[in-house]
Amino acid sequence: MKMTTWVMSAAVVAMSVVGCGGATDGAVVEGPASAAQALGPNREFYGSDTLKDAIIAASLASSANLNVQGKGSGVGEGCLRDGSTGFCTAQQQALAPMSRDFKAPCRTGERSNIIALDAVNAFVNSANPLTDISLTDLRKVFFATDSAGAPVSGSCTSTLTKYRRDDLSGTTDTFKTLVGGGTFCSDVVVISDGTLPAACAGETSATKCIGKLTATDANAIGYSGDSAGRTGNRALTVNGIAPSTTNVRKFLTDKANAYPLSRALFLNESTTNARSSNERILYAWAYSAANKQAFENILVNQGFIACDPTGPLKCGGANNDGKGAGLCQ
């Protein structure tokens, strides 16, 4: 009900401010002026599963008419670069919502655009008495080897039912990097967007599925973005630090004291790839002076954290709007 209410209000805002064509204040740089290319045959638009519902709402609010698929940040990055098998051809997209930054090295024309902050959380069932976990113990629960390939002492012995995102997921990339993990324990159950288990009937993404699984199984633990939180599960504090708004925002200014699994979320782009008309509409709407607040409201409504408490956006970059903030500038 919460999501439905917001999507309807976002659409009203978009129609009253930008109209059906997604017109903006004219100050937004929309990328190359070459002939617009097509997306997939049904306007498929790939990228972060974590951001899937937010981008669906933004597409509706802007009248971009994108067929938002999710599937993972790795798929979205592939659609900007060399293609992703089974999903898209090389340079099929010029934009990609991603829950991690580009993988180095950056390529010509690539630009990282931070749009919000998020906490990757270790969710357990509300009946679980555990409230805090260290990064070391998280590594033992989920990983057989560390990031250097060495065996993790005492690992893979937990009797908890463990859930994770698949290897196309930016959330998995972030979790592995921040926890220092390498190879997952063999008993960790992989949840992939598009092939959700029967227990997740009615859920729209792998993120939401992990939320449901941890909320309904008293013996479960699973990592996912903060938007997987719901009645029945709760996020553990990590190294004694809670995933609060204040602690996550320290990711930008005081990483040593930030929640250890904080991360940035991105609407990354290639400024040299041909841009579909649908992508142009979304990008122009999201970064227009008239609608940045509406875009930020969508993100916050999904459980993500605005970079700046005064909004809108202000996630860094040359104009402090998020465009150009990150690895690729």
Side-chain angles (χ1 to χ4, degrees):
M1 180 61 69
K2 180 180 180 182
M3 166 54 72
T4 302
T5 300
W6 167 249
V7 169
M8 290 176 67
S9 62
V12 171
V13 170
M15 291 177 69
S16 64
V17 176
V18 302
C20 295
T24 74
D25 59 4
V28 179
V29 178
E30 297 185 37
S34 56
Q37 71 169 48
L39 295 170
N42 296 300
R43 305 178 314 284
E44 292 89 350
F45 185 66
Y46 296 100
S48 167
D49 174 80
T50 298
L51 284 165
K52 181 178 178 180
D53 285 347
I55 299 303
I56 288 173
S59 177
L60 176 61
S62 63
S63 300
N65 200 27
L66 290 161
N67 182 3
V68 181
Q69 296 290 304
K71 307 304 181 187
S73 298
V75 175
E77 182 178 73
C79 294
L80 291 178
R81 290 181 167 178
D82 303 320
S84 183
T85 302
F87 300 107
C88 58
T89 58
Q91 300 178 359
Q92 182 170 298
Q93 293 178 196
L95 301 178
M98 295 173 63
S99 60
R100 62 161 172 82
D101 206 345
F102 283 109
K103 290 188 175 180
C106 299
R107 301 188 182 183
T108 300
E110 289 183 343
R111 185 161 63 182
S112 307
N113 300 320
I114 300 175
I115 54 175
L117 303 175
D118 187 30
V120 176
N121 287 319
F123 286 102
V124 296
N125 189 272
S126 296
N128 192 319
L130 183 66
T131 59
D132 180 72
I133 193 168
S134 67
L135 286 175
T136 297
D137 285 341
L138 265 179
R139 189 160 58 245
K140 289 179 181 179
V141 168
F142 281 95
F143 294 101
T145 65
D146 64 18
S147 56
V152 175
S153 177
S155 69
C156 303
T157 60
S158 172
T159 58
L160 291 169
T161 304
K162 295 165 279 189
Y163 297 103
R164 75 173 181 94
R165 295 291 314 284
D166 64 25
D167 293 332
L168 293 173
S169 165
T171 301
T172 288
D173 287 331
T174 299
F175 187 75
K176 291 177 74 170
T177 298
L178 297 178
V179 175
T183 302
F184 283 96
C185 298
S186 60
D187 62 343
V188 180
V189 179
V190 180
I191 304 298
S192 299
D193 189 39
T195 55
L196 302 181
C200 287
E203 299 299 329
T204 58
S205 67
T207 299
K208 303 293 186 183
C209 178
I210 288 176
K212 182 174 183 177
L213 292 169
T214 53
T216 55
D217 181 354
N219 195 51
I221 185 171
Y223 69 83
S224 195
D226 192 57
S227 57
R230 61 173 69 196
T231 301
N233 71 11
R234 55 183 169 76
L236 299 173
T237 63
V238 178
N239 287 354
I241 303 175
S244 66
T245 297
T246 298
N247 290 335
V248 171
R249 282 201 180 115
K250 290 178 181 177
F251 173 82
L252 295 174
T253 59
D254 183 17
K255 285 190 178 181
N257 294 301
Y259 171 68
L261 301 182
S262 300
R263 64 172 171 181
L265 300 174
F266 299 82
L267 182 59
N268 284 343
E269 66 179 306
S270 168
T271 61
T272 54
N273 288 2
R275 187 165 303 199
S276 67
S277 58
N278 310 81
E279 292 172 298
R280 287 179 180 274
I281 291 170
L282 175 68
Y283 186 90
W285 177 84
Y287 284 112
S288 70
N291 296 299
K292 279 192 288 188
Q293 186 64 65
F295 184 40
E296 184 170 278
N297 288 348
I298 288 174
L299 294 164
V300 171
N301 188 64
Q302 285 292 321
F304 306 126
I305 296 170
C307 295
D308 190 311
T310 66
L313 300 180
K314 294 190 179 71
C315 296
N319 299 312
N320 201 30
D321 59 6
K323 289 189 290 181
L327 177 68
C328 300
Q329 315 233 354

